[in-house]
Amino acid sequence: MRGKRLLMIPGPIEFTDEVLSEMAVPTLSHVDPEFIELFGQALERMRGVWLAPHGQPFAIAGSGTLAMELAAANITEPGDNVLIVHTGYFSDRMADIFRLHGANVDVVPSAVGDLPQVEAVRAQLKAKRYKTISITHVDTSTGARADIKAFAAAAAETNTLVVVDGVCAVAGEELRMEDWGVDIAFTASQKAVGVPPGLALLVASQRALAVHRARRSTVRAYYCDWKNWLPVMEAYEARRAAYFGTPAVNLVRALNVSLGQILAEGMEARFARHARNARALRAGLSAIGLTFLPVREEIYANTLTAPYYPDGIDATVLAKIAEEGAMLAGGLYPSIKTKYFRIGHMGMSDKSEILATLGAIERGLARAGYSFPIGAAVAAAQSEYKKA
Ligand code: PMP
């Protein structure tokens, strides 16, 4: 730990040594039998992590925004109606991408730090025919988590395709893609999946693939078109090589290792650990007087916490907290970005990282002149862990 600064932002995160070592091995040809085997394995493992036994995985070089565009571009044709569940910065981005691909976008609004009620979304789905509904599982701008199960159940009543932006959620928040009837769920490697930035990871349901196959118009994004990537993903899973664009060989190796670690922990244990860490972190921050941006406790995310700065403290405290050992992120939601900060706690984070982060926050706040009983945050988190 000496001199080490924990990276506790909402991605990239702390990666395991085993994952990082994969980045440093000599790069194989993308048609090397060893690479074919581990790419095939990684795709199979994605189904396990997404809990989508019949889903079609795609792992493509790019960031989470590419995953957003892969989702929107492939199932949207000009004139399609798309409903966006407003959550914040990232649902706005999703709306822009759908519009770019020709959709007529309607938005069910919500106040900052809140989410639309499922009832309001259900009513809108019944008032007008929508091909697709898009929901951001955890909006990284607010730390609010959507009840995907409930939104997807409402969408099932009108046969609407369900797209989930799981960039700040997959492999951390509970997501049962197939049981819940989600058609597309995607993330990016640098988040809870636990791999350095550079992979867009998406799983599509058979229904979403059929919608893509039945298109009357072409996909207006060459690099995004599933038509180009599906044969590649199918080939690697069948342990054959195929080419469309050169895969990010070392990232795919790292992905395979990380997904193996995730499945070895088990999805239920993993969801529970993220929830426990989030509770302990919040208990600690509450104990020293901090409050949170999401407006209701049941929507607090397990992957990310967004506290307001306490009175008299501003964003300059983040540099002090970083000097004390934990790198955190500033606010992102444009209208309130100077009022709050964000702590990412996903991936392999455990007690020691959460407690070290709280310690760094305490020392940073104390140096910034905030008055509170030093040690109270760590103590409250410790008692929370004792309960679990
Ligand atoms: N959606 C969400 C919910 C995100 O948190 C992010 C990244 N913070 C993105 C999409 C975009 O991902 P990227 O920055 O990797 O393009």
Side-chain angles (χ1 to χ4, degrees):
M1 272 300 268
R2 184 174 309 166
K4 171 142 174 77
R5 186 173 286 180
L6 286 172
L7 189 54
M8 301 301 282
I9 66 171
I13 61 167
E14 290 289 323
F15 304 119
T16 66
D17 292 346
E18 296 77 10
V19 165
L20 289 176
S21 330
E22 293 298 313
M23 301 302 292
V25 298
T27 302
L28 293 172
S29 158
H30 56 289
V31 299
D32 188 300
E34 187 186 337
F35 178 69
I36 293 172
E37 175 57 31
L38 56 88
F39 197 172
Q41 247 178 41
L43 293 168
E44 287 163 4
R45 288 174 175 173
M46 280 176 69
R47 286 200 187 83
V49 171
W50 270 247
L51 296 171
H54 302 94
Q56 174 58 52
F58 294 84
I60 300 176
S63 81
T65 306
L66 172 68
M68 298 169 93
E69 191 151 18
L70 280 165
N74 282 286
I75 57 166
T76 309
E77 299 199 59
D80 285 348
N81 291 335
V82 173
L83 189 62
I84 302 281
V85 175
H86 179 261
T87 52
Y89 183 93
F90 286 104
S91 67
D92 289 349
R93 179 176 292 192
M94 203 62 199
D96 287 345
I97 296 172
F98 272 110
R99 279 191 203 101
L100 186 71
H101 289 280
N104 299 317
V105 170
D106 290 334
V107 178
V108 188
S110 63
V112 180
D114 205 351
L115 291 156
Q117 296 292 326
V118 177
E119 267 324 305
V121 170
R122 179 179 280 115
Q124 187 58 35
L125 287 169
K126 292 202 164 140
K128 180 169 163 184
R129 172 76 197 135
Y130 290 96
K131 180 178 187 182
T132 305
I133 181 171
S134 174
I135 314 148
T136 308
H137 197 166
V138 171
D139 200 303
T140 320
S141 65
T142 65
R145 180 190 52 221
D147 183 346
I148 297 298
K149 187 180 181 184
F151 284 118
E157 293 169 23
T158 48
N159 240 350
T160 306
L161 290 168
V162 178
V163 171
V164 172
D165 175 346
V167 175
C168 195
V170 169
E173 298 285 0
E174 180 181 6
L175 172 72
R176 300 177 194 279
M177 181 171 170
E178 206 156 298
D179 284 358
W180 292 356
V182 171
D183 290 289
I184 296 179
F186 57 81
T187 186
S189 52
Q190 75 272 17
K191 303 270 182 166
V193 162
V195 176
L199 287 177
L201 303 168
L202 177 147
V203 177
S205 69
Q206 292 303 322
R207 180 165 79 146
L209 292 182
V211 166
H212 172 258
R213 270 196 307 273
R215 294 177 66 95
R216 283 156 293 134
S217 59
T218 50
V219 172
R220 293 300 178 104
Y222 189 72
Y223 187 70
C224 281
D225 195 339
W226 287 347
K227 180 162 59 65
N228 295 322
W229 290 111
L230 187 57
V232 176
M233 301 302 143
E234 287 175 337
Y236 276 94
E237 258 203 277
R239 306 304 193 261
R240 286 183 284 108
Y243 170 74
F244 170 60
T246 308
V249 172
N250 286 65
L251 283 169
V252 171
R253 293 188 76 113
L255 174 69
N256 189 39
V257 167
S258 193
L259 294 174
Q261 292 178 331
I262 292 169
L263 292 171
E265 179 179 20
M267 297 315 295
E268 307 306 323
R270 195 170 175 90
F271 299 148
R273 178 170 55 77
H274 280 77
R276 194 161 59 241
N277 284 340
R279 278 198 306 274
L281 183 72
R282 288 197 303 267
L285 296 171
S286 302
I288 56 170
L290 272 62
T291 58
F292 307 107
L293 199 166
V295 296
R296 276 171 287 123
E297 195 169 341
E298 68 269 22
I299 61 171
Y300 289 160
N302 292 326
T303 49
L304 165 73
T305 297
Y308 286 107
Y309 295 112
D311 281 348
I313 301 296
D314 63 20
T316 56
V317 74
L318 295 181
K320 296 187 172 63
I321 295 171
E323 281 164 18
E324 296 295 337
M327 205 51 210
L328 310 181
L332 182 62
Y333 202 102
S335 56
I336 50 165
K337 74 188 272 189
T338 57
K339 297 194 160 53
Y340 74 105
F341 61 108
R342 296 174 302 147
I343 308 162
H345 35 89
M346 51 192 135
M348 294 312 265
S349 294
D350 213 340
K351 292 173 197 165
S352 55
E353 278 180 16
I354 299 293
L355 294 172
T357 300
L358 282 169
I361 292 172
E362 288 195 2
R363 294 189 298 277
L365 284 171
R367 277 176 52 194
Y370 181 56
S371 150
F372 64 102
I374 197 120
V378 173
Q382 295 278 31
S383 347
E384 187 62 38
Y385 277 126
K386 239 173 114 184
K387 281 189 220 158

